[in-house]
């Protein structure tokens, strides 16, 4: 069975079974005793219903299930035929599979067998959600094992909602990294014997890439302090050209020094080279949290009262 989906000709929906997979399934299905189970409790856990699977597991859920919790979907015109997912703050899309039937693809449309089509009149129309940031989640402080790096702690939030007309990209970052070197614990520190130069780290990545793809040589090319946009992405020289450098879709560890702008040292943060963000952020709009139409139930407050609150959009 192939490790990735292969498009067959011009078919927009490349999901099919190879002959060897069909043979294997036919040979082994009799051995899957669980398929004969009548345990209704187990069946209820599958949440089987008439709802389209893409409505149960949206594109966010599908990326997380396929690649891990830090991956998010790339919303584009090819979403239905090939869902691409990005790791947080990177733009190295990874192909996964066609989006599940029922996944939103455009306003008033969803995916059906790899094609973005209008909602059918016979189907109860799903409700869309506006995109909004989730609450910030605090990551753990971690020290990388690269020379001259700093310990960093990520704060991460996710863009929630499935209305593809909207996105959170214009209202702040999805991740912020704090320098936590002063508070890093012994358990979070890198063992001194494991600390390596940046180039040694890159060589190990290129060696692994060469094993998987012979067109990639074992020799790295570093963009650190040369090209800010590429500095945190590991590049290896092509095996057949000393002047061609290949992005092998690996990044230097968070906290690796990558570029200097003026007198500001920048560090790798989720594969992006930038200065550490200032945690003080903007405020949300004021909202009424307490409103009294008449006198409040407070002996010291004998007049109508409203209390407005707001919250900081960046982590504390």
């Amino acid at each position: 069975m192939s490790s990735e989906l292969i498009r067959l000709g011009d078919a927009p929906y490349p999901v099919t079974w190879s002959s060897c997979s069909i043979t294997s399934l036919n040979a082994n299905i009799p051995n899957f005793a669980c398929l004969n189970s009548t345990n209704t409790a187990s069946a209820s856990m599958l949440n089987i219903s008439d709802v389209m699977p893409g409505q149960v597991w949206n594109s966010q859920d599908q990326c997380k299930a396929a690649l891990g919790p830090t991956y998010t979907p790339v919303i584009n015109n090819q979403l239905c035929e090939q869902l691409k997912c990005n790791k947080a703050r990177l733009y190295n899309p990874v192909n996964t599979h066609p989006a599940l039937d029922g996944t939103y693809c455009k306003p008033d449309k969803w995916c059906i067998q790899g094609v973005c089509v209008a909602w059918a009149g016979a189907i109860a129309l799903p409700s869309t959600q506006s995109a909004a940031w989730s609450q910030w989640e605090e990551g753990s402080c971690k020290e990388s094992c690269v020379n001259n790096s700093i310990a960093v702690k990520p704060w991460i939030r996710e863009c929630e909602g499935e209305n593809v007309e909207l996105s959170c990209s214009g209202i702040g970052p999805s991740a912020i990294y704090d320098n936590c070197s002063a508070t890093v614990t012994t358990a979070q520190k890198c063992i001194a014997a494991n600390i390596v130069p940046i180039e040694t780290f890159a060589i190990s990545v290129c060696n692994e890439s060469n094993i998987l793809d012979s067109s990639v040589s074992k020799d790295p090319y570093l963009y650190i302090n040369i090209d800010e946009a590429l500095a945190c992405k590991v590049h290896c020289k092509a095996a057949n050209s000393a002047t061609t450098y290949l992005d092998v879709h690996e990044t230097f560890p968070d906290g690796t020094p990558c570029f200097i702008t003026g007198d500001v040292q920048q560090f790798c943060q989720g594969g992006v080279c930038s200065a550490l963000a200032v945690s003080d952020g903007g405020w949300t709009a004021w909202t009424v949290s307490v409103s009294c139409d008449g006198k409040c139930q407070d002996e010291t407050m004998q007049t109508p009262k409203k209390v407005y609150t707001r919250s900081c959009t960046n982590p504390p």
Side-chain angles (χ1 to χ4, degrees), residues 72-85:
T72 57
V74 177
I75 306 300
N76 58 24
N77 292 331
Q78 287 76 46
L79 179 147
C80 292
E81 59 187 78
Q82 186 66 270
L83 175 63
K84 296 178 183 289
C85 306

Side-chain angles (χ1 to χ4, degrees), residues 118-200:
W119 293 334
I123 299 175
L125 299 184
S127 59
T128 59
Q129 302 175 9
S130 297
W133 286 117
S134 66
Q135 294 296 313
W136 286 102
E137 292 188 9
E138 182 179 2
S140 60
C141 181
K142 185 178 180 181
E143 188 175 73
S144 79
C145 291
V146 173
N147 270 351
N148 302 316
S149 63
I150 61 171
V152 292
K153 176 176 66 178
W155 293 79
I156 298 174
R157 58 182 179 175
E158 296 180 353
C159 188
E160 298 178 336
E162 195 64 17
N163 186 339
V164 298
E165 287 185 293
L166 301 173
S167 75
C168 303
S169 60
I171 51 175
S174 61
I176 289 176
Y177 291 76
D178 284 337
N179 183 348
C180 58
S181 297
T183 59
V184 65
T185 65
T186 301
Q188 295 165 335
K189 283 183 173 292
C190 183
I191 299 173
N194 294 336
I195 297 176
V196 297
I198 293 174
E199 186 170 9
T200 301

Side-chain angles (χ1 to χ4, degrees):
M1 185 178 293
S2 172
S3 61
E4 63 181 60
L5 292 172
I6 306 297
R7 185 178 304 282
L8 299 178
D10 295 325
Y13 197 57
V15 176
T16 187
W17 293 100
S18 67
S19 58
C20 64
S21 295
I22 293 172
T23 301
S24 178
L25 282 171
N26 286 335
N28 288 286
I29 279 180
N31 301 324
F32 301 152
C34 60
L35 296 178
N36 298 318
S37 173
T38 57
N39 187 330
T40 55
S42 297
S44 65
M45 293 174 62
L46 297 176
N47 194 24
I48 297 174
S49 68
D50 294 332
V51 178
M52 290 281 192
Q55 293 291 297
V56 179
W57 299 283
N58 62 26
S59 56
Q60 298 266 1
D61 298 327
Q62 293 171 49
C63 281
K64 289 179 182 178
L67 298 170
T70 61
Y71 283 83
T72 57
V74 177
I75 306 300
N76 58 24
N77 292 331
Q78 287 76 46
L79 179 147
C80 292
E81 59 187 78
Q82 186 66 270
L83 175 63
K84 296 178 183 289
C85 306
N86 266 334
K87 195 170 184 179
R89 296 199 71 191
L90 295 179
Y91 193 78
N92 288 318
V94 177
N95 290 338
T96 56
H97 51 72
L100 296 176
D101 285 357
T103 302
Y104 294 122
C105 51
K106 288 184 179 179
D108 299 332
K109 292 186 176 183
W110 56 13
C111 299
I112 300 294
Q113 292 200 355
V115 180
C116 188
V117 300
W119 293 334
I123 299 175
L125 299 184
S127 59
T128 59
Q129 302 175 9
S130 297
W133 286 117
S134 66
Q135 294 296 313
W136 286 102
E137 292 188 9
E138 182 179 2
S140 60
C141 181
K142 185 178 180 181
E143 188 175 73
S144 79
C145 291
V146 173
N147 270 351
N148 302 316
S149 63
I150 61 171
V152 292
K153 176 176 66 178
W155 293 79
I156 298 174
R157 58 182 179 175
E158 296 180 353
C159 188
E160 298 178 336
E162 195 64 17
N163 186 339
V164 298
E165 287 185 293
L166 301 173
S167 75
C168 303
S169 60
I171 51 175
S174 61
I176 289 176
Y177 291 76
D178 284 337
N179 183 348
C180 58
S181 297
T183 59
V184 65
T185 65
T186 301
Q188 295 165 335
K189 283 183 173 292
C190 183
I191 299 173
N194 294 336
I195 297 176
V196 297
I198 293 174
E199 186 170 9
T200 301
F201 177 89
I203 289 173
S204 68
V205 172
C206 291
N207 282 334
E208 293 175 3
S209 299
N210 172 262
I211 293 172
L212 299 172
D213 184 353
S214 60
S215 69
V216 179
S217 80
K218 299 179 181 180
D219 300 320
Y221 182 82
L222 302 183
Y223 282 98
I224 288 175
N225 292 326
I226 296 176
D227 188 325
E228 180 181 356
L230 300 176
C232 292
K233 297 177 173 61
V234 179
H235 287 74
C236 307
K237 294 178 182 179
N240 59 357
S241 173
T243 57
T244 300
Y245 313 119
L246 305 175
D247 181 352
V248 293
H249 305 298
E250 292 288 344
T251 60
F252 288 102
D254 294 338
T256 300
C258 52
F259 201 79
I260 297 178
T261 302
D263 59 352
V264 177
Q265 175 67 64
Q266 298 178 189
F267 299 92
C268 292
Q269 304 167 56
V272 176
C273 182
S274 63
L276 292 174
V278 177
S279 293
D280 293 337
W283 289 101
T284 61
W286 289 102
T287 57
V288 177
S289 61
V290 177
S291 178
C292 301
D293 295 330
K295 292 182 178 180
C296 290
Q297 300 300 313
D298 184 342
E299 294 180 357
T300 63
M301 182 65 68
Q302 297 298 318
T303 57
K305 168 187 175 184
K306 284 185 178 180
V307 175
Y308 292 83
T309 59
R310 61 179 180 174
S311 59
C312 185
T313 58
N314 273 355

